[in-house]
């Protein structure tokens, strides 16, 4: 096996990874490893925007409170404070680097999304906010000396020596490399692809969560998967996100008989928290025996709709849906994982030398349910924090020099890979989805145990490694969902619908024999509400 050396290894090239790379570039050589082209990540597909308290009517204290409320009592307040307080600085810097957010006249234009009490969501090119942020960050990274890139390179596992992370094993063009680094930042995003319905691109296979677990990292709150309520449901159409901003701008949800229904479920109607809207849609689908409901924008000014949602307009038109004239068939889909690799507010994990930021991480900033459009901000803020912390902790340290190692003597093959992947994704959607119970979760656990042998081997194709990672993470999500016998935020148990006694976090670790151990941490009582400022 060949060895590569670098000062800082970044795994993942979405908003968090790129922002960490930018931070680290002035402290040594950086290597960004990503399994596809650089821009292929959830960031690229983020539509609605980036939440930041910068409008005249807003305050960081109000953004703080809205985030806590959406998190349903499980947010870590220190992390939320960092997010809302450092957010504006990260956005201003992004604008200085060339980001073009939409404006009303000369002022930044802020839109409204569910559970925000102010218009606070910046957007770019109407509904291509993530793409604009990714464009600017890639340009910045490319302009920096000393940042190398390994696209099409799949991280297999972390190199852990003496309890410290010293880099990672990376599969590049069919060859296995051992990349040694002073510090490693995991920024691989989430695992929406575990579910058969998801807004996430194909690269989101929970790789970082699985490799961190295998390396001995602590993961937390894995049962909290956010389901986005409105995803295109049309024959032959992709599972295309229909931004929450469409409801923010006045879009109405109707059942197949054309009846608006959200008022029957929540006083905030279309702008109720996402878990409430997703469950309401499922109820209406069941009630009307339909696999979808409608999102209706036909009462809005067509010119405004086309201008405000150009990408969505064009995409739907390809499937014969003119969103200015037709109601759009939608149903929910897996969207974002609130849990992940446990970190402090500086991206530090429990493993020395290993940092994590973005969706792969769990700072506790989202609690049990993420406030819409907080994730791009999270990537910017905590990507920068992780970079800063990695630079500081590894200052003066040399790149590790470990004895040469041979490649694993034998690699496994997964027979029936496509079929297993489809079974896994359907299983997670049907049994570990929006509404869970002991019976569905128990069935999922049993079926997942049939795939246990896959976890015992090493593989040399990206597809097999991704499947192994998804199975590993799916098992953890299922165990976590089984163990939490109550309902809070995005985790809803029909057999335990009560929230009482549910304000705790659960940490998970894997033992040497592959078994999972958990520890419950009670959420501290709420501090005094922050003064507005
Ligand atoms: C959306 O545009 O609805 C997605 C935004 C988000 O999930 O934060």
């Amino acid at each position: 096996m060949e060895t590569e050396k670098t000062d800082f290894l970044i795994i993942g090239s979405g908003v968090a990874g790129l922002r960490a790379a930018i931070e680290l570039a002035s402290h040594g050589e950086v290597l960004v490893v990503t399994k596809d082209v650089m821009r292929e990540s959830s960031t690229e597909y983020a539509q609605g925007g980036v939440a930041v308290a910068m409008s005249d009517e807003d305050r960081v204290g109000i953004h703080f409170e809205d985030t806590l409320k959406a998190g349903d009592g499980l947010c870590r307040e220190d992390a939320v404070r960092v997010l809302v307080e450092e957010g504006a600085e990260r956005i201003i810097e992004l604008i200085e680097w060339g980001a073009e957010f939409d404006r009303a006249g000369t002022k930044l234009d802020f839109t409204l999304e569910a559970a925000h009490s102010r218009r606070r969501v910046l957007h770019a090119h109407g509904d291509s906010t993530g793409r604009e942020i990714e464009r600017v960050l890639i340009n910045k990274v490319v302009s920096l000396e000393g940042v190398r890139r390994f696209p099409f390179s799949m991280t297999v596992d972390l190199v852990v020596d003496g309890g410290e992370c010293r880099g990672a094993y990376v599969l590049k063009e069919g060859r296995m490399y051992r990349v040694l680094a002073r510090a490693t930042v995991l920024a691989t995003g989430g695992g929406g692809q575990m579910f058969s319905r998801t807004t996430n691109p194909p690269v989101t296979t929970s790789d970082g969560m699985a490799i961190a677990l295998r390396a001995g990292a602590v993961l937390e709150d894995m049962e909290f998967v956010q389901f986005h309520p409105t995803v295109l449901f049309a024959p032959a159409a992709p599972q295309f996100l229909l931004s929450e901003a469409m409801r923010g701008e006045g879009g109405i949800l109707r059942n197949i008989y054309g009846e608006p229904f959200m008022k029957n479920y929540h006083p905030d109607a279309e702008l109720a928290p996402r878990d409430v809207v997703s469950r309401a849609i499922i109820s209406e689908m069941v009630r009307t025996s339909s696999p979808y409901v409608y999102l209706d924008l036909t009462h809005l000014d067509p010119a405004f709709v086309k201008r405000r949602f150009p990408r969505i307009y064009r995409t739907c038109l390809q499937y014969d849906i003119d969103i200015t004239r037709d109601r759009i068939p939608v149903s929910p889909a897996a969207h974002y994982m609130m849990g992940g690799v446990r970190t402090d507010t500086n991206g530090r994990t429990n493993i020395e030398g290993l940092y994590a930021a973005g969706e792969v991480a769990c700072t506790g900033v989202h609690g049990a349910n993420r406030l819409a459009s907080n994730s791009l901000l999270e990537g910017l803020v905590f990507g920068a924090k992780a970079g800063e912390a990695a630079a500081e902790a590894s200052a003066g340290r040399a790149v590790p020099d470990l004895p040469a190692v041979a490649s694993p003597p034998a690699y496994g093959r997964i027979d029936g890979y496509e079929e297993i992947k489809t079974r896994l994704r359907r299983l997670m959607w049907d049994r570990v989805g929006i509404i869970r119970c002991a019976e569905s979760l128990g069935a999922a656990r049993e079926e997942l145990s049939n795939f246990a042998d896959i976890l015992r081997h090493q593989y040399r194709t990206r597809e097999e490694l991704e499947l192994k990672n998804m199975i590993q993470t799916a098992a953890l999500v299922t165990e976590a969902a089984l163990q939490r016998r109550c309902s809070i935020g995005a985790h809803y148990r029909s057999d335990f619908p009560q929230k009482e006694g549910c304000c705790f976090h659960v940490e998970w670790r894997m033992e040497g024999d592959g078994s999972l151990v958990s520890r419950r941490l009670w959420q501290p009582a709420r501090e005094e509400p922050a003064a507005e400022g």
Side-chain angles (χ1 to χ4, degrees):
M1 188 183 311
E2 288 180 43
T3 295
E4 277 277 334
K5 290 192 172 188
T6 188
D7 291 305
F8 304 106
L9 171 62
I10 313 266
I11 306 173
S13 57
V15 55
L18 295 179
R19 188 57 192 80
I22 293 165
E23 199 65 32
L24 284 164
S26 55
H27 298 275
E29 192 207 65
V30 179
L31 176 60
V32 180
V33 167
T34 190
K35 67 182 179 179
D36 210 287
V37 293
M38 287 286 281
R39 65 165 191 283
E40 190 61 17
S41 70
S42 290
T43 301
E44 177 74 10
Y45 299 88
Q47 294 177 0
V50 52
V52 62
M54 285 173 67
S55 79
D56 295 343
E57 62 170 28
D58 207 356
R59 301 282 178 276
V60 293
I62 309 175
H63 189 187
F64 177 84
E65 291 298 331
D66 287 350
T67 301
L68 256 44
K69 194 167 163 210
D72 210 7
L74 269 189
C75 293
R76 288 213 161 82
E77 292 187 24
D78 56 346
V80 179
R81 198 161 281 120
V82 169
L83 179 83
V84 298
E85 285 176 359
E86 300 191 13
E89 201 183 324
R90 296 283 80 87
I91 294 294
I92 290 164
E93 158 191 277
L94 209 59
I95 293 171
E96 284 166 5
W97 293 341
E100 290 177 15
F101 292 110
D102 296 333
R103 288 177 185 264
T106 54
K107 284 187 152 186
L108 289 167
D109 186 33
F110 296 88
T111 192
L112 188 66
E113 286 185 356
H116 288 273
S117 61
R118 296 288 187 276
R119 292 181 75 89
R120 107 165 24 105
V121 179
L122 282 176
H123 43 96
H125 312 294
D127 50 10
S128 293
T129 315
R131 183 176 287 182
E132 175 66 2
I133 292 179
E134 186 75 7
R135 177 189 74 78
V136 168
L137 291 176
I138 289 181
N139 284 348
K140 180 77 182 167
V141 161
V142 168
S143 76
L144 294 170
E145 264 181 41
V147 182
R148 285 196 293 151
R149 285 159 280 149
F150 270 19
F152 301 109
S153 300
M154 175 80 192
T155 300
V156 175
D157 267 313
L158 296 172
V159 176
V160 181
D161 179 69
E164 287 186 30
C165 180
R166 311 292 187 108
Y169 298 99
V170 175
L171 187 68
K172 181 172 185 271
E173 290 155 11
R175 295 167 74 108
M176 192 72 83
Y177 291 80
R178 186 180 57 160
V179 181
L180 298 179
R182 283 155 59 192
T184 300
V185 181
L186 269 182
T188 47
Q193 285 295 324
M194 279 184 288
F195 296 85
S196 58
R197 269 192 72 71
T198 182
T199 61
N200 292 188
V203 290
T204 54
T205 51
S206 71
D207 305 316
M209 294 169 187
I211 66 174
L213 185 71
R214 293 197 289 271
V218 170
L219 276 71
E220 189 177 61
D221 290 349
M222 294 299 287
E223 61 276 40
F224 297 123
V225 178
Q226 183 174 79
F227 295 88
H228 197 290
T230 54
V231 179
L232 184 59
F233 187 96
Q239 293 171 9
F240 184 71
L241 176 70
L242 296 165
S243 178
E244 189 142 312
M246 298 176 92
R247 280 173 283 132
E249 300 289 4
I252 294 172
L253 287 166
R254 298 180 187 275
N255 63 24
I256 50 159
Y257 303 118
E259 299 157 348
F261 56 84
M262 272 314 301
K263 279 249 154 59
N264 304 335
Y265 292 90
H266 196 280
D268 292 340
E270 272 70 13
L271 294 184
R274 278 185 184 172
D275 61 301
V276 175
V277 181
S278 291
R279 284 198 299 278
I281 290 175
I282 295 287
S283 294
E284 290 296 309
M285 281 163 43
V286 169
R287 214 172 59 77
T288 59
S289 305
S290 165
Y292 55 83
V293 297
Y294 289 116
L295 176 62
D296 184 5
L297 275 74
T298 57
H299 53 289
L300 302 179
D301 172 20
F304 167 76
V305 170
K306 287 187 206 173
R307 191 175 63 247
R308 182 65 186 81
F309 303 110
R311 190 168 166 188
I312 296 174
Y313 174 73
R314 282 195 311 270
T315 304
C316 289
L317 215 47
Q318 284 171 23
Y319 300 95
D320 279 339
I321 301 164
D322 177 344
I323 64 171
T324 66
R325 302 155 64 110
D326 304 320
R327 294 174 180 167
I328 317 165
V330 294
S331 85
H335 186 54
Y336 186 92
M337 294 179 70
M338 273 69 75
V341 182
R342 172 83 180 103
T343 70
D344 66 10
T345 53
N346 292 304
R348 292 189 201 101
T349 71
N350 61 307
I351 299 179
E352 183 91 30
L354 180 67
Y355 301 78
E359 189 174 349
V360 70
C362 180
T363 55
V365 76
H366 305 304
N369 208 359
R370 177 178 62 93
L371 182 68
S373 289
N374 262 356
S375 45
L376 289 172
L377 196 68
E378 171 194 23
L380 290 169
V381 168
F382 292 104
K385 302 285 290 179
E388 238 173 66
E392 194 185 309
S394 60
R397 293 177 65 170
V399 180
D401 195 15
L402 300 179
V405 288
S407 293
Y411 289 92
R413 293 297 310 270
I414 303 179
D415 291 328
Y417 154 82
E418 283 295 349
E419 189 203 323
I420 296 172
K421 184 171 156 190
T422 304
R423 261 172 69 195
L424 170 76
R425 300 179 75 230
R426 284 205 187 132
L427 178 73
M428 291 301 285
W429 178 251
D430 291 343
R431 308 283 193 185
V432 196
I434 298 171
I435 298 176
R436 304 158 169 180
C437 66
E439 198 189 335
S440 70
L441 294 168
R445 173 200 266 168
E446 198 175 316
E447 182 146 0
L448 284 165
S449 69
N450 295 327
F451 306 140
D453 195 45
I454 290 174
L455 303 181
R456 290 193 253 281
H457 300 282
Q458 201 51 283
Y459 302 94
R460 58 182 323 151
T461 68
R462 166 177 158 180
E463 290 73 21
E464 287 168 314
L465 290 162
E466 287 177 337
L467 183 55
K468 173 179 170 176
N469 291 336
M470 285 194 285
I471 291 170
Q472 190 124 49
T473 313
L476 181 48
V477 170
T478 304
E479 282 310 311
L482 259 168
Q483 198 175 98
R484 188 178 286 273
R485 289 149 63 97
C486 48
S487 297
I488 186 168
H491 171 73
Y492 183 77
R493 292 274 305 248
S494 55
D495 49 351
F496 295 105
Q498 82 290 350
K499 187 179 163 187
E500 290 76 47
C502 212
C503 270
F504 56 85
H505 301 271
V506 183
E507 289 187 344
W508 294 88
R509 227 170 16 81
M510 200 170 84
E511 296 279 291
D513 63 359
S515 60
L516 294 167
V517 285
S518 65
R519 186 165 79 110
R520 185 177 284 199
L521 303 167
W522 289 98
Q523 171 79 350
R526 175 81 216 271
E527 286 172 18
E528 283 302 301
E532 279 190 17

